[in-house]
Amino acid sequence: MAKNPNEIVRYTSICRVVEAAGGAIASGISSTSAPLTVAMGINFALWGVASVPAWFVVRKLDLPENEEGPSSSDVETYEGYMEALATYFEERR
């Protein structure tokens, strides 16, 4: 997604903001006497809300529908898998 270091910093900052907001919401929920089902409902609702922007990011990845990357059965070790994955993405550039 990021094409230069400035974008990496921006995306990382956005991730940290979302993480901090989640921590604040969790702290607020746990400081009340609300039942655990309320906390579960709020978490599920936040997950649903987060699915919408996640879809906008995923649909921009421009992956071909019929092509698959290397699978774990193609390589023996984690390092081999990571190397095969890096080769796959380098070929796509």
Side-chain angles (χ1 to χ4, degrees):
M1 283 181 18
K3 295 187 179 19
N4 61 42
N6 293 337
E7 289 180 354
I8 293 172
V9 171
R10 186 177 328 125
Y11 292 143
T12 304
S13 299
I14 290 170
C15 181
R16 295 291 293 165
V17 165
V18 171
E19 181 183 9
I25 291 170
S27 177
I29 290 172
S30 67
S31 68
T32 64
S33 59
L36 292 177
T37 54
V38 172
M40 182 183 65
I42 291 172
N43 283 334
F44 189 69
L46 290 173
W47 172 80
V49 168
S51 298
V52 174
W55 169 247
F56 286 119
V57 171
V58 169
R59 73 184 184 133
K60 293 287 185 180
L61 291 178
D62 192 33
L63 296 175
E65 292 184 25
N66 296 329
E67 187 178 336
E68 295 183 14
S71 65
S72 58
S73 63
D74 295 339
V75 292
E76 296 294 322
T77 63
Y78 175 77
E79 291 81 14
Y81 179 74
M82 294 307 290
E83 183 177 314
L85 195 60
T87 304
Y88 170 76
F89 282 112
E90 283 296 320
E91 290 172 354
R92 290 190 41 110
R93 280 190 171 176

